[in-house]
Amino acid sequence: MANIKFYCIKKTNPSNMNIRFYHGRNIDCNAQSHILIDPNLWSRKMQNFKPLTNVEVKNTYLPLIENLKKEIQSKFNLAFSNGELINSKWLSKIISDFNKRPDDKEDHRFFFVPFIEKFAKDSETRVNPNTGKIISFRTIQKYRTITSQLEDFEQKQKIRLKITDINLEFHNLYTSYLKTDKKYSNTSIEKNISTIRGFIKEAKEYGFDTSHEVENKKFTFRRDEPIDTYLNLNEIDLIYNLDLSDNESLDNVRDLFIFGVWTGLRISDLQRINQFLFKKNTIIISETEKTGATIEIPIHQQVKEILAKRNGQFPKIISSQKFNDYIKDVCQLAGITEMTLGNIKNSKTNRKEKGYYPKYKLISSHSARRSFAT
């Protein structure tokens, strides 16, 4: 049977109790227990506190010492059976885990940013059980953006966040930082907080210690009321009937936009238009990009006429950035210039600013989907 002995090397108070663990002739290792006591109260021979030691001290430390002994013995039984190397490094690891002490400031079991970084790295090959797909690059990019924000926050606060530090106090400090320092909108802050709650849920499922305060209803943030710019039927007709025969790029983006208006598809799905099955009166999409859903959409008359104009060929696929730039030019040419309340990103601050703008400036690829829904 393995033996475990507690003793103090130093005589200074407090002293870190050492542990000697030995079994047979081949296993004999030592490590610090990280239990601090007055060495004058401990009897190495008795393996107990001396008789005159205060009862409160005994009641405080003896259960801790006993539980640590049981943990070491339990882990040894399993490790020895599996043929693991039993040495001082092994013993130190058992003690650190028992005391919930991180190996360093990059230990993902205890520190929040390293946990997110590891989660993001693992997500590169992780399959979403709801869709059966590998986690998207955009999702992983979102994880890394939040990591960067949290590192900036840590630097400002001069702290290193543990997973257990994510509580209501953190919520107050972090949301204030995003609002005042980063000038984030309420909607962006809410998305950040929601994602952080998701990380804490994952950490809890891994068995790591977390704060129950994350589950408090106060651990959230109120979004801004959305301002959704959409086009009415008259404006859609103005775009559809616009003569763009002298500008191939604008003619192409207009046709793509009309596809979006009468199908309600996201730009990520419109960019896969060549993969859809077009029947006489319906479009069948076996798997949408974001949700993986199978959908069947009636073909609107304007979509039929665009296909006829193009001899059955689809509009050319372009990037989201070019789409958003060109469709504004199309809408301006169509006379969609009414002053409208909306948000436009300020290129200097990289933040959206609410105000009244000519409507064409507010139109993007997503406006087609909003118009379809409206």
Side-chain angles (χ1 to χ4, degrees):
M1 181 177 176
N3 292 281
I4 304 173
K5 302 294 184 183
F6 286 77
Y7 61 97
C8 295
I9 296 177
K10 297 181 179 179
K11 297 301 181 182
T12 55
N13 183 22
S15 179
N16 194 335
M17 296 184 80
N18 272 52
I19 297 178
R20 181 190 175 197
F21 178 82
Y22 55 99
H23 176 72
R25 296 181 177 181
N26 299 321
I27 297 175
D28 194 344
C29 43
N30 296 269
Q32 290 186 330
S33 69
H34 302 297
I35 299 174
L36 302 178
I37 66 166
D38 180 350
N40 296 313
L41 302 178
W42 184 256
S43 170
R44 181 170 183 173
K45 182 178 180 180
M46 295 168 54
Q47 283 297 291
N48 203 335
F49 285 99
K50 295 175 182 178
L52 296 180
T53 303
N54 185 288
V55 173
E56 187 177 344
V57 172
K58 290 182 179 180
N59 291 341
T60 299
Y61 287 96
L62 285 178
L64 181 62
I65 292 169
E66 189 60 32
N67 288 335
L68 179 52
K69 287 174 65 175
K70 289 179 180 178
E71 180 71 6
I72 294 170
Q73 186 66 62
S74 174
K75 290 291 195 277
F76 168 73
N77 292 342
L78 183 62
F80 189 79
S81 299
N82 292 334
E84 293 181 26
L85 179 63
I86 310 298
N87 54 21
S88 294
K89 185 177 181 180
W90 171 88
L91 181 59
S92 294
K93 180 70 167 57
I94 300 301
I95 296 169
S96 292
D97 289 348
F98 175 81
N99 290 320
K100 295 181 171 56
R101 295 174 67 89
D103 293 337
D104 52 46
K105 289 188 177 182
E106 298 304 317
D107 194 331
H108 73 278
R109 299 169 302 164
F110 299 93
F111 293 102
F112 192 45
V113 168
F115 172 78
I116 299 175
E117 289 175 334
K118 185 175 188 308
F119 187 80
K121 180 67 176 175
D122 292 346
S123 294
E124 293 176 5
T125 55
R126 182 164 56 88
V127 176
N128 185 330
N130 296 321
T131 64
K133 291 184 176 181
I134 295 291
I135 303 301
S136 71
F137 171 77
R138 289 181 64 184
T139 298
I140 296 171
Q141 194 175 40
K142 180 177 69 173
Y143 296 162
R144 289 176 175 151
T145 298
I146 287 186
T147 298
S148 178
Q149 292 165 356
L150 286 167
E151 287 176 331
D152 289 343
F153 174 74
E154 287 181 326
Q155 188 173 7
K156 182 175 189 263
Q157 296 292 324
K158 295 181 172 55
I159 58 173
R160 185 61 163 165
L161 287 168
K162 289 185 176 180
I163 297 173
T164 52
D165 291 333
I166 309 306
N167 52 25
L168 289 174
E169 181 182 4
F170 160 81
H171 175 277
N172 292 336
L173 291 172
Y174 186 61
T175 53
S176 176
Y177 160 78
L178 293 179
K179 190 70 177 177
T180 58
D181 289 47
K182 292 293 188 177
K183 309 298 182 186
Y184 277 21
S185 68
N186 290 353
T187 298
S188 294
I189 295 173
E190 190 278 332
K191 288 179 179 179
N192 271 262
I193 293 299
S194 178
T195 303
I196 285 173
R197 288 185 70 162
F199 285 136
I200 295 300
K201 182 180 178 181
E202 293 288 346
K204 189 174 182 179
E205 290 180 357
Y206 276 99
F208 302 149
D209 288 342
T210 62
S211 171
H212 68 276
E213 293 180 9
V214 176
E215 299 168 16
N216 192 295
K217 63 181 181 180
K218 293 181 180 179
F219 201 97
T220 186
F221 208 81
R222 186 185 180 92
R223 288 190 174 208
D224 294 315
E225 289 296 325
I227 304 174
D228 293 333
T229 305
Y230 65 91
L231 298 166
N232 58 40
L233 291 173
N234 180 58
E235 291 168 330
I236 293 169
D237 286 341
L238 286 173
I239 293 171
Y240 175 73
N241 293 316
L242 188 64
D243 182 5
L244 295 170
S245 55
D246 61 342
N247 191 318
E248 184 179 345
S249 295
L250 296 189
D251 183 61
N252 183 75
V253 80
R254 182 266 310 278
D255 290 354
L256 270 176
F257 189 77
I258 293 298
F259 263 82
V261 166
W262 296 120
T263 60
L265 293 171
R266 296 178 176 86
I267 182 62
S268 58
D269 287 314
L270 287 175
Q271 289 170 334
R272 300 186 305 120
I273 197 170
N274 291 312
Q275 301 174 25
F276 303 161
L277 175 61
F278 281 73
K279 291 190 174 182
K280 184 177 181 181
N281 292 307
T282 57
I283 305 170
I284 299 175
I285 305 175
S286 61
E287 196 175 74
T288 54
E289 186 72 18
K290 185 171 182 178
T291 65
T294 298
I295 58 175
E296 188 169 336
I297 306 169
I299 300 181
H300 189 272
Q301 184 60 34
Q302 288 184 357
V303 173
K304 289 181 180 180
E305 291 173 6
I306 287 174
L307 289 172
K309 179 186 78 172
R310 293 179 170 273
N311 297 318
Q313 298 299 308
F314 305 122
K316 294 179 182 178
I317 308 306
I318 61 174
S319 69
S320 299
Q321 183 60 54
K322 286 184 177 180
F323 191 115
N324 290 332
D325 289 340
Y326 292 163
I327 196 58
K328 289 176 175 59
D329 293 338
V330 170
C331 290
Q332 184 178 18
L333 290 172
I336 303 173
T337 57
E338 176 186 2
M339 297 301 288
T340 305
L341 181 64
N343 292 308
I344 289 183
K345 183 177 287 188
N346 184 319
S347 58
K348 293 182 179 179
T349 63
N350 201 33
R351 296 289 178 265
K352 288 184 177 180
E353 296 179 355
K354 183 190 292 186
Y356 284 91
Y357 305 95
K359 191 170 184 177
Y360 70 88
K361 290 188 175 183
L362 301 170
I363 302 302
S364 66
S365 60
H366 199 61
S367 300
R369 185 171 167 84
R370 290 187 182 123
S371 301
F372 171 83
T374 304

